[in-house]
Amino acid sequence: MTNALTSGLARVRSVLPERGELAAMGRRPRRDLLAGLTVAIVALPLALGFGISSGMGAEAGLATAVVAGALAAVFGGSGLQVSGPTGAMTVVLVPIMHQHGASGVLTVGVLAGLLLIALALGRAGKYMALVPAPVVEGFTIGIACVIGLQQIPAALGVPTPAGDKVTMVALHAAGDFLAQPHWWAVAIAATVAVLMLVGARRRPTFPFSLVAVALATVTAELAGLPVTRIGDLPAGLPAPSLSFLQLSALPSLLTPAIAVAALAALESLLSATVADGMSVNHKHDPDRELFGQGLANLAAPLFGGVPATGAIARTAVNVRSGAHSRLAALAHAGILAVIVFTASGLVARIPLAALAGVLLATSIRMVEAGSVKAMMRSTRGDAVVLVLTAIATLVLDLVQAVILGLIVAGALALRTIARNVRLDAMPIRPDLPGDHTDQEHALLAEHIVAYRLDGPLFFAAAHRFLLELSEVATVSVVILRMSRVTTIDASGALVLGDAIQRLERRGIIVYISGIRDGHHQPLHALGVIARLDNAGRVFATTPEAISAARDQLRRVGVLPASPHHAVPG
């Protein structure tokens, strides 16, 4: 009993904030506060828009951004993550709102928060990293389409037709508009969207969304345009309450709560991973991130907020704005709280069409055409998984789409492995070539390390093998021997590229040898080895790579100059 209690307390302590991370909030406060202000400016129209799109209203979006944003900033596993209402979560909440009403959405948020905390204490965060890249990409495309379709009624200036199938609702809204067109709403939505899209190309860090919404609001007010506004908002957050909770409805809400928790976990950990990739020395803790999101989703409904997740776009803005610690995300929530308490009257006058324009532009920007084209060219299996996941996201619910994508990706991966002659998937380990001289062995052991990748480099194996590679001890050169890689897909190629970047950030020179003919396509399509190839660091054989590495170390003075001697083949 005592051991179980001690183990339980240790798990709880492992997901709580560390003193050093909290102390880091005071090291560069000016930089973090400026980043927080920038993110808050970007987040305001998104919080309003996603709150309205969910059916809960603009005030719910603001409450979520403030309460969930603050708690996730303090307790989450990423020091750079920004949380709040998101488009993906909105897509899940719309049918819940139709079936169970506002109390159902709030109850689902509480249940999802409890599930996320349970996942964190069960240390399930590491398994979320195994979702294949094509599933994530197809999921993102499907969500972007759904968000765009959700904005059609507001962009056309017509009441939202009844129904929870977004495609049918958009078609009915278009029919209502054609029967009695009103062009002011269309003009406002189009102008805001175009200004955001064009502006983002020229100055990605400038908050064009807020500027566009402000211009649309001022124009609508001065010209007295007949467009629908957000409407009255409460001047502050409501007192926390559990009055919405109906115990009799809990069984029917458990399945939606599982879907919301799964989406919150997936999107938050994906966003945290993006933040890691954009920073140099930052690395998130997946279990602590789940715990922080659990607390955020547990608390937000008490103040009338909707379920929240980590927000990729706002997190990216936070990192680009120079955020150094959790203070930036916390400041973003605080600034939005000030707006809630002091400027609710101004916010109430914003045209719904302007927010529709913001979300239309957001949905377009969610899809990175270059990434989609590269993944479609990678392998036929990756293309199939991407397309199926995107279509399923549009016609089914999001969790079903992810499950379908995982099943198809798993089936294709197993089929690929079954077709290989060799089935031995070996972990990465230092494995120096055995056909070189003792002198060269000494040099290699001192300055160069060669890693042989054996077996399939696909979505699950990639993480298992290459996360170890990025933690290699300090050396001057790493040679990746890939002649024994039997399979490589988009996820494996992307993780390989990430490992190479992490090594190079630490000043380690990377060479690659022995890439099989069939593996060049995904590596080149996703841009993983193009830079190394141009720099002359990709070789057909390992002896050639070793010779080039030794020559490079002589040039930089790591090895003493000596007469060139051939490396045996």
Side-chain angles (χ1 to χ4, degrees):
M1 182 70 178
T2 304
N3 291 337
L5 180 60
T6 303
S7 176
L9 291 175
R11 288 200 176 187
V12 172
R13 283 196 297 269
S14 70
V15 295
L16 292 177
E18 297 178 358
R19 184 176 300 177
E21 290 184 338
L22 297 178
M25 294 170 63
R27 291 175 187 163
R28 299 180 184 175
R30 183 176 178 182
R31 188 172 173 179
D32 283 330
L33 291 174
L34 183 59
L37 174 62
T38 304
V39 177
I41 291 173
V42 173
L44 176 59
L46 293 175
L48 295 170
F50 288 135
I52 293 171
S53 294
S54 71
M56 293 287 289
E59 61 273 18
L62 285 174
T64 305
V66 173
V67 177
L71 286 173
V74 175
F75 291 96
S78 171
L80 304 176
Q81 178 94 285
V82 177
S83 300
T86 64
M89 187 61 73
T90 297
V91 174
V92 175
L93 297 180
V94 169
I96 299 175
M97 182 69 180
H98 277 284
Q99 295 177 23
H100 304 282
S103 63
V105 172
L106 298 177
T107 303
V108 162
V110 171
L111 293 175
L114 293 173
L115 289 171
L116 287 168
I117 292 173
L119 287 173
L121 296 177
R123 299 178 179 173
K126 58 186 177 182
Y127 298 109
M128 295 295 176
L130 303 182
V131 178
V135 174
V136 175
E137 196 71 44
F139 180 72
T140 303
I141 294 171
I143 289 173
C145 293
V146 173
I147 294 172
L149 290 172
Q150 284 179 339
Q151 309 316 310
I152 297 300
L156 297 178
V158 300
T160 303
D164 58 356
K165 296 297 182 183
V166 65
T167 305
M168 298 307 299
V169 169
L171 288 174
H172 289 152
D176 294 342
F177 173 78
L178 293 175
Q180 194 174 2
H182 301 281
W183 293 102
W184 284 118
V186 175
I188 289 174
T191 301
V192 170
V194 170
L195 182 58
M196 283 184 60
L197 293 173
V198 174
R201 285 180 174 272
R202 298 185 178 181
R203 295 186 63 184
T205 59
F206 189 79
F208 283 100
S209 58
L210 187 66
V211 173
V213 170
L215 290 175
T217 304
V218 170
T219 302
E221 288 295 303
L222 294 179
L225 300 181
V227 291
T228 306
R229 310 299 209 276
I230 288 178
D232 293 336
L233 294 173
L237 296 175
S241 171
L242 276 172
S243 59
F244 59 85
L245 195 61
Q246 298 180 1
L247 297 181
S248 60
L250 292 183
S252 63
L253 293 173
L254 184 59
T255 299
I258 293 173
V260 168
L263 177 60
L266 177 63
E267 190 172 12
S268 298
L269 293 178
L270 175 62
S271 177
T273 302
V274 170
D276 290 351
M278 295 178 65
S279 59
V280 177
N281 297 316
H282 186 271
K283 187 175 182 180
H284 76 282
D285 183 320
D287 293 324
R288 286 180 55 196
E289 183 60 32
L290 292 180
F291 182 75
Q293 294 297 333
L295 288 181
N297 281 285
L298 191 61
L302 305 184
F303 297 87
V306 297
T309 76
I312 295 177
R314 277 157 274 177
T315 298
V317 170
N318 193 40
V319 177
R320 290 194 193 105
S321 300
H324 177 262
S325 73
R326 301 170 183 271
L327 180 60
L330 188 60
H332 134 271
I335 293 168
L336 290 177
V338 171
I339 294 173
V340 169
F341 282 95
T342 63
S344 59
L346 293 175
V347 173
R349 302 306 300 166
I350 295 175
L352 291 181
L355 295 180
V358 171
L359 297 187
L360 283 170
T362 300
S363 65
I364 293 172
R365 292 177 63 188
M366 285 175 66
V367 180
E368 297 184 8
S371 176
V372 173
K373 289 179 181 178
M375 208 159 290
M376 291 293 288
R377 293 195 304 264
S378 176
T379 66
R380 182 177 298 177
D382 290 332
V384 169
V385 171
L386 187 151
V387 172
L388 281 179
T389 307
I391 294 174
T393 304
L394 189 58
V395 300
L396 304 174
D397 70 62
L398 302 191
V399 175
Q400 289 177 343
V402 172
I403 292 174
L404 177 62
L406 289 174
I407 291 173
V408 174
L412 291 173
L414 289 174
R415 187 187 68 170
T416 302
I417 293 173
R419 288 181 174 179
N420 283 302
V421 177
R422 299 186 58 187
L423 300 175
D424 52 333
M426 300 173 61
I428 297 173
R429 67 180 189 276
D431 190 8
L432 298 179
D435 55 353
H436 301 294
T437 66
D438 292 340
Q439 179 185 8
E440 287 162 351
H441 271 210
L443 291 173
L444 293 174
E446 192 172 345
H447 300 290
I448 304 172
V449 62
Y451 279 79
R452 187 180 67 207
L453 281 64
D454 292 342
L457 192 59
F458 67 114
F459 60 86
H463 285 275
R464 187 171 63 252
F465 293 171
L466 296 178
L467 288 180
E468 297 179 20
L469 177 61
S470 63
E471 302 297 330
V472 63
T474 302
V475 292
S476 298
V477 173
V478 165
I479 298 174
L480 302 181
R481 301 174 60 191
M482 298 186 62
S483 61
R484 296 193 183 184
V485 174
T486 56
T487 302
I488 186 166
D489 68 354
S491 298
L494 290 174
V495 176
L496 176 62
D498 180 66
I500 291 172
Q501 289 180 2
R502 288 175 183 267
L503 291 171
E504 291 182 332
R505 284 175 187 161
R506 293 163 52 195
I508 298 174
I509 304 171
V510 179
Y511 290 79
I512 295 180
S513 70
I515 300 175
R516 294 187 178 184
D517 291 339
H519 298 165
H520 282 85
Q521 183 178 354
L523 292 174
H524 279 290
L526 296 168
V528 174
I529 63 169
R531 183 170 44 79
L532 294 182
D533 205 357
N534 293 335
R537 297 184 192 169
V538 179
F539 296 89
T541 65
T542 301
E544 291 175 311
I546 293 174
S547 179
R550 298 175 76 248
D551 290 341
Q552 172 66 20
L553 293 183
R554 288 195 187 94
R555 283 195 295 270
V556 298
V558 175
L559 293 180
S562 62
H564 179 75
H565 58 279
V567 180

